Amino acid sequence: MTEVMRVGVLGARGRVGSEVCRGVSAEGDLDLVAQVDAGDPLDLLLEGDAQAVVDFTHPDVVMDNLEFCISHGIHAVVGTTGFDDARLATLRGWLADSPGTGVLVAPNFSIGALLMMRFAAAAAPWFESVEVVELHHPDKADAPSGTARRTAQLIAAARDEAGLGPVPDATSTGLEGARGAVVDGIHVHGLRVRGLVAHQEVLLGGPGETLTIRHDSLDRASFVPGVLAGLRAVGDRPGLTVGLEQVLDLG
Ligand SMILES: NC(=O)C1=CN([C@@H]2O[C@H](COP(=O)(O)OP(=O)(O)OC[C@H]3O[C@@H](n4cnc5c(N)ncnc54)[C@H](OP(=O)(O)O)[C@@H]3O)[C@@H](O)[C@H]2O)C=CC1
Ligand SMILES: O=C(O)C1=N[C@H](C(=O)O)C[C@H](O)C1
């Protein structure tokens, strides 16, 4: 008989969290034992005897949530953004004191977005120019998106490895912000437009040609299969795992 995993969702009434609650409830091997949102005590996780949580909350609160979970030996699958190297180091420190506990942090749980990032990194060594444009709903708290930051880092690493120099840009005057933010030398532009969900384009260019790689999350259901895969894997991966691609076999 398949063992059932008891799951708590943090940010359960949010845009993604509510979708995750539906997804978890529909699976026979997962039992939704706690739905926690702003103002609810984290002790609900202990009352439900949660073995793992999913966190889609806010960059300002996610570290407190994870400190609680790790200290109680509860595995975590984390979609919330805002993870820089310092935060990841803090998580590693907490996890060192809680052997056997696993945390998976992923900037994007949709399969298409993972492939988009992989394709962008594969294309990067072949083009002189590259910029990232992320497009989201206007209620998003952070900019640029975690996905855009990660994409820029992957592109920069691929360019470095190929021995490419800086991306050419003759801009010497203009309005502040007109060229976007710069992540590891790659320009990243954020658009916030009502009606959008989560979208990204990577534009690459060389002499006489451009290549555009685009991904669209049209519905937040796009994140759920990746979250479920993360839940099923996280208990077997003690310590910190960054990126859903570490869990999925994308070939
Ligand atoms: N990795 C991925 O694939 C994806 C990541 N994200 C990221 O996930 C995060 C959430 O996104 P989204 O669902 O759109 O945001 P929402 O604002 O819709 O949802 C967040 C929910 O968390 C609640 N919340 C706030 N503080 C706490 C707390 N301390 N404990 C529990 N719940 C809390 C909020 O309540 P209240 O509104 O009352 O504050 C809200 O209901 C963002 O960082 C976003 O970038 C989003 C999509 C995909
Ligand atoms: O806030 C969102 O909506 C999303 N956040 C994540 C990010 O910042 O990359 C993932 C996806 O883009 C949706």
Side-chain angles (χ1 to χ4, degrees):
M1 209 173 80
T2 321
E3 218 176 299
V4 173
M5 178 190 275
R6 295 181 299 281
V7 177
V9 174
L10 303 170
R13 290 192 289 276
R15 286 178 287 266
V16 183
S18 53
E19 202 65 57
V20 169
C21 287
R22 266 191 292 283
V24 167
S25 301
E27 298 299 303
D29 61 334
L30 304 175
D31 186 10
L32 182 61
V33 295
Q35 301 183 53
V36 182
D37 208 86
D40 297 333
L42 288 170
D43 280 352
L44 288 177
L45 298 171
L46 306 182
E47 285 167 26
D49 199 14
Q51 296 165 294
V53 298
V54 177
D55 188 301
F56 280 89
T57 56
H58 191 283
D60 291 347
V61 302
V62 64
M63 291 302 280
D64 288 346
N65 289 346
L66 291 178
E67 187 172 22
F68 178 92
C69 291
I70 293 168
S71 70
H72 288 89
I74 302 173
H75 308 299
V77 172
V78 185
T80 306
T81 45
F83 284 89
D84 54 13
D85 289 345
R87 282 190 168 200
L88 294 175
T90 300
L91 288 185
R92 285 192 186 94
W94 292 339
L95 284 162
D97 293 334
S98 182
T101 307
V103 172
L104 166 64
V105 176
N108 203 308
F109 278 93
S110 96
I111 307 300
L114 284 190
L115 291 170
M116 173 267 295
M117 286 189 264
R118 174 175 283 207
F119 297 156
W126 301 97
F127 291 89
E128 191 181 337
S129 293
V130 57
E131 305 221 357
V132 177
V133 183
E134 55 96 334
L135 309 91
H136 283 82
H137 58 92
D139 302 315
K140 182 169 175 55
D142 56 318
S145 71
T147 306
R149 283 175 190 263
R150 180 76 184 134
T151 309
Q153 289 166 349
L154 293 171
I155 289 169
R159 286 176 67 94
D160 273 357
E161 201 172 314
L164 292 187
V167 175
D169 179 8
T171 311
S172 62
T173 179
L175 283 180
E176 198 187 326
R179 295 286 294 116
V182 180
V183 178
D184 290 2
I186 307 299
H187 287 259
V188 177
H189 309 267
L191 279 62
R192 298 289 175 265
V193 180
R194 183 68 67 203
L196 294 180
V197 178
H199 318 257
Q200 183 167 297
E201 285 190 0
V202 180
L203 294 92
L204 303 114
E209 63 173 336
T210 63
L211 170 65
T212 302
I213 302 169
R214 179 171 173 118
H215 173 258
D216 297 277
S217 270
L218 304 169
D219 191 296
R220 292 181 179 86
S222 59
F223 305 117
V224 174
V227 169
L228 299 180
L231 273 174
R232 289 177 177 125
V234 71
D236 296 328
R237 301 182 70 95
L240 181 64
T241 302
V242 180
L244 183 63
E245 65 277 13
Q246 309 295 330
V247 167
L248 299 181
D249 181 8
L250 291 179

